[in-house]
Amino acid sequence: MDNDEFSTPVSASRSSVPWSTSVKRDSLAADLERDPQLSTAKRKQRTQAFHSQMTFASLERQVASLQTSKAELEAKIREKDAVIDRLEGDRRWLSDREKEEREEKERERKEREEEKRKLSSDLRALRNSFQALRGEHDDLQDEYSNLKRQSSQTIATQKADTTTLSRQVALLQDELASVQAIAEQRSNALEELQLQFDELSEAQANTSRLSSGGGTEEDENWSIVREELHRQANHLRTVETANAKMNSELIMLRHRNTSLEVLKEQKRELEKKVSGVEQLKEKVVRLEAELDAARQEREDWASKSASTPSVAVTQSLSDLRLKYATLLEENGSNVALLHRREKELEDAQERENAFGKRIEDLEAEIELLKEGLTRAEQRASLAEREVGFQQAMLASFTAEETHDGVNTSRLDDVAKQRVSQLESLLADYKATIAKLESEINDLTGDLSSTGGDRRPRVEIIKDLESERHKREAAESALRELESTTESQVEQIDKLEQTLFELQGEIGGGRHIPPGVRVLSLRDNPASQWEDLSRKALERVKDENEALLKRLKELEESGVRGRGGNGGQTGEDEELVPRKSWEAAIQEKEELEEALKQKEKRLIRLKQVFSAKTDEFKEAIASILGVKLAFYPNGQVRVTSQFDLNAAFVFQPTKPPSASSLGKSNSEAMTMKLVAKGEGGPEELPQLMRYWVEQEQCIPCFLASVTLECYEKMKREGLRPAV
Amino acid sequence: MAPTKQAPTRQAITLKGSTNLVTEFFKYAANTILFQRGVYPADDFHMVKKYGQTVLVTQDLALENYLDKILKQVNKWLLTGAVTQLVLAIISKDSRVTMERWVFDINLVEQEQPTGASGSAPAKPESEIQAEIRNILKQIVSTVTFLPVIDEPTVFNILAYTSESADIPADEWVDTDPLAIEASKSQQVKLRSFSTDVHRIEAMVAYRYEG
């Protein structure tokens, strides 16, 4: 069958053509042979052929025309394309324009925002300046009060100084007067002495003239005496000059006193200036008022600014700025004034200091003068002693003379009389010298050192030795102590170093001291940042998950779309390790489920626990008559059921776990009492003293308190508060 | 809990006054550190005159509120003597590593109250205290010269070291990690201290240093 089908068309087509030709030939042949009717048919055939030829030609013409029209159409299409291209270009240009416009708008908006920001920053700056002004005003007030206080202090101190100085001056004057009186006494006495001496020397000269033997020796003695007298006279003169100097000093001191008066005057002036500062204060108050007004205005302005922004705002702003500038100026002038005042005060203080120094110098000088005086007095006493010695010599001379007179028998009665007179004079001298010495002693009063020195010198030396030994011992002890202190200082240094390192440990947060909690505010910037980043992470995770899902969808659709393209699908699977990813997700879900269950169990356990604790508390309340409240820091509050005012707080000292206080008696509890009023305060102190301090048994204490409270409640006819 | 002492002498600073002084100091110290260490942008700060010098104080409302909240609580703790240390920790935003810890030790000054008025030392004048505070703030500013440069975004946290028995508002304050710096990379510098008649504040900065 198949073969037939395959063969038939080809053979049929091929065989048909020769058949047709053969038919035509047959017909032609027939034409020649048969009747002319056949030729008409032939003509018909020919016309038909011609027709067909004609139609063919027309068809060809039609084809040609169609081809031309097609070409025309193609040209048209090309034109259209060109037009489309141009239009597209136009569109692009327009879109560009649009984009530009949008950008411009954006820019303008930014500018507006910039302006807004600038305005707000201006506002902020103004607010700042206002605050700064307020601060400055406060500072000014402070400074002003300080100045006032300082000036009053200086005034008080200066007054005190002047009073002391005047007192000192009076004292010094008294001293000077007394010293002058003494000096005058001395000079009188000395003059008397000199007169007597002159007389004596004359007598001596007479006697020497009388007595020719041994005259030269006496002359020499007399010359010594005279020299001595001269020396004394000189000494007297120096004392007088000292006196004169002291007088001049006194005058100077008086001058100083007057200058002190001047100082007082200046102080009064300063006080007046301080009163001027009061005016300044008023000014400050006015400034403050102005500031307040400015603030008001600014607030007004702020409220206005929401509604009418442009001109009024700028005007008020400029006004405010102007005011601010003027305020600044005033402030500057005030500051300058203050500075000037401060400087004046400083000057006054300096002057005062200088005066104080001068006073000190004067005091030192007075001390020096006093010392000079005592020295002069000592010298005078020495001189007087020497005079006494000379008198003794003189007495011996006269004795010798009398002896000589007896031996030689040349003595006159007159001479004898003279000698006796001289002797009496000498006795007078001695008496006056003794008197003067006693006076000097009274004045100086320094005999004790010489008197005490003479007798126990050995003892004193011994004492000195022992003292020296003691001193040496003390010095050695001191050296030892110094060495120990040095070593201790070294140790301290070392310890300080270790302390610094340990502080670094604590400062670095690596060590937390025991009994210390580290706390931070729950809502702090670090945690906020953490939350923020966690949120971002979660968002990214979500996005990732969504993307993965999308990828999966795409992959699936891609596999379907591309059909049998095996290489492509292989690559897609490599993009995401799908299987492990899904396994991980599943694992995660399982774990989350487990966690939820665990949490649920925990919550249930907590509930059970709280129920149990409530039961426990109730049991304790009903059995012991005491309510317990546990604080998170380990403290326990105990309240008596019968008297809610009797409450005690217990705190376990060492182990924080030992919250139950019933059993462990040995544990010393630090205890604080919050008992108020009726909660058995009559016996409470005694109970506490007995049970807590002596017996250290807190359960017994609580039991007795419970008993007391119950009885009290019964007495008052109340019911237990449950 | 140590019993709160009463004002020892008539002229001396009271516990409350000292507490307020210390709290105020913390405010300005924290602001100075946050400005100097660049934890917040410099634009957020404005100048305020305090302790006789200009101090920079933040204008960020959230930060202000945070500091106020902390300082109020610290004030309460100071009155009861419950707080022993305050720490301002600066933490890197990216790595969560603690860069610096500014530590302020708070010590109560012992006072020999029973000896009577004759034995107690004269009260410290407030000007002297202010001078000490000024010196600390200046030193904080000067630490910028030796502390390592921080060139990454940071965030800070304030930790309070309190005694275990202290009263703590449980819903606001939580126990937290001490934000330690590991020992091998930690350096510390002791700063100045200041004291009132009641408190003594010792400042210190521990910082992370790798090099």
Side-chain angles (χ1 to χ4, degrees), chain A residues 656-703:
Chain A
S657 59
S659 53
S660 66
L661 21 127
K663 284 165 192 172
S664 48
N665 295 344
S666 57
E667 260 181 20
M669 296 283 186
T670 54
M671 199 176 105
K672 223 196 280 166
L673 236 157
V674 210
K676 281 184 219 160
E678 310 129 86
E682 305 126 52
E683 292 93 356
L684 198 63
Q686 298 157 22
L687 285 174
M688 264 172 68
R689 205 173 307 130
Y690 181 69
W691 287 116
V692 182
E693 284 169 26
Q694 284 183 21
E695 301 292 319
Q696 298 203 334
C697 178
I698 283 162
C700 298
F701 168 66
L702 281 177

Side-chain angles (χ1 to χ4, degrees), chain A residues 124 507-508 510 517 519 522, chain B residues 59 101 160 162 172 175 181:
Chain A
R124 209 180 297 157
R510 293 181 293 279
R517 292 174 74 180
L519 301 170
R522 191 190 288 277
Chain B
Q59 282 182 314
R101 286 174 109 254
T162 65
E172 282 185 6
D175 286 296
I181 302 171

Side-chain angles (χ1 to χ4, degrees), chain A residues 545-597:
Chain A
E545 221 163 286
L547 280 172
L548 277 169
K549 216 177 262 174
R550 174 82 186 131
L551 205 69
K552 195 179 176 185
E553 281 173 18
L554 278 175
E555 266 173 28
E556 279 170 3
S557 66
V559 167
R560 261 178 222 155
R562 275 163 201 149
N565 207 338
Q568 283 275 349
T569 50
E571 271 179 31
D572 281 358
E573 271 167 7
E574 270 175 25
L575 262 176
V576 181
R578 178 71 55 193
K579 284 250 169 86
S580 55
W581 161 250
E582 274 168 2
I585 282 179
Q586 204 173 344
E587 201 180 339
K588 191 185 134 203
E589 276 169 0
E590 276 168 11
L591 284 171
E592 273 175 357
E593 192 73 23
L595 189 74
K596 254 183 215 164
Q597 278 182 352

Side-chain angles (χ1 to χ4, degrees), chain A residues 506-508, chain B residues 85-88 101-105 202-206:
Chain A
I506 293 175
Chain B
Q85 206 173 68
L86 280 180
V87 177
L88 195 156
R101 286 174 109 254
W102 294 82
V103 182
F104 297 97
D105 266 323
E202 286 176 14
M204 175 182 204
V205 54

